[in-house]
C-alpha cells in the first residue's frame, strides 16, 4: 500500500478546473510550384508576442477573372449588322438601276442625234445643187419599146 501522503483523499485535495484554450484555425498557404533555377526570397516576420517566424515569401494567388456577359447578345448584334448591310446593298442597287436607266437614255439620245445629223447630210447630198456636174435637159422624149430615146 502506498503512504497516505502520496494519494490524498478527495476531501483533502483541492479541486482544480482547467479551461482549455481554443485552437485558432490558420488558413494553409497555397502550395506554389517553384521553377528550377529560381530560389524564392526568405522573409522573417516578427509576431506581436516577440516571436520571429522565418520562411519563404509566397505571393498571394490571384483568382482568375470572371468572364462578364456582354450587355447585348452577339446574335442581336449580328442581326443589326446584317440589316445595315442589307440596306446599304439595296441603296447601292437603287443607284445602280438609276445609273443604268440614265445610261440607256443617253445612248438612245446619241442614236437619235446621229440619225438626224447623218440623215440631214444625206438629204443635202441628194437634194442639194450639183457642183460642176452634168446637167441633162430632157425636152422631147420618145419611148419606143421600153427604151428611152431623145
Amino acid at each position: 500500500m502506498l503512504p497516505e501522503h502520496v494519494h490524498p483523499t478527495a476531501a483533502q485535495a483541492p479541486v482544480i478546473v482547467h479551461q482549455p484554450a481554443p485552437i485558432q484555425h490558420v488558413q494553409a498557404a497555397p502550395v506554389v510550384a517553384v521553377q528550377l533555377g529560381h530560389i524564392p526570397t526568405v522573409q522573417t516576420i516578427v509576431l506581436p508576442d516577440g516571436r520571429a517566424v522565418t520562411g519563404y515569401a509566397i505571393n498571394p494567388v490571384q483568382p482568375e477573372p470572371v468572364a462578364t456577359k456582354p450587355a447585348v447578345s452577339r446574335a442581336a448584334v449580328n442581326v443589326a449588322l446584317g440589316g445595315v448591310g442589307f440596306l446599304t446593298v439595296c441603296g447601292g442597287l437603287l443607284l445602280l438601276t438609276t445609273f443604268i436607266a440614265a445610261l440607256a437614255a443617253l445612248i438612245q439620245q446619241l442614236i437619235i442625234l446621229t440619225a438626224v445629223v447623218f440623215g440631214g447630210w444625206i438629204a443635202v447630198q441628194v437634194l442639194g445643187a450639183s457642183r460642176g456636174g452634168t446637167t441633162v435637159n430632157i425636152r422631147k422624149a420618145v419611148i419606143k419599146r421600153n427604151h428611152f430615146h431623145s
Side-chain angles (χ1 to χ4, degrees):
M1 293 241 339
L2 293 172
E4 242 182 80
H5 67 281
V6 176
H7 291 299
T9 61
Q12 295 173 346
V15 177
I16 300 173
V17 179
H18 292 282
Q19 295 293 331
I23 300 174
Q24 296 178 356
H25 290 283
V26 178
Q27 253 184 345
V31 178
V32 179
V34 178
Q35 297 176 356
L36 295 177
H38 175 68
I39 301 173
T41 58
V42 177
Q43 186 174 7
T44 301
I45 299 174
V46 178
L47 298 176
D49 61 357
R51 293 181 294 161
V53 178
T54 303
Y56 293 109
I58 299 174
N59 294 331
V61 177
Q62 298 292 331
E64 292 188 26
V66 179
T68 58
K69 279 189 165 184
V72 180
S73 69
R74 291 185 184 196
V77 172
N78 289 340
V79 168
L81 289 177
V84 170
F86 181 73
L87 289 177
T88 304
V89 168
C90 287
L93 289 177
L94 181 64
L95 289 175
L96 183 65
T97 54
T98 305
F99 175 74
I100 291 173
L103 186 63
L106 176 67
I107 291 173
Q108 182 181 10
Q109 293 295 324
L110 289 176
I111 290 172
I112 292 171
L113 179 65
T114 305
V116 168
V117 169
F118 188 66
W121 181 76
I122 291 176
V124 167
Q125 293 298 321
V126 170
L127 301 175
S130 58
R131 302 177 204 129
T134 321
T135 303
V136 178
N137 293 324
I138 302 174
R139 294 193 179 165
K140 290 183 183 178
V142 179
I143 298 175
K144 292 183 180 175
R145 296 187 196 147
N146 293 331
H147 291 295
F148 181 78
H149 298 280
S150 58

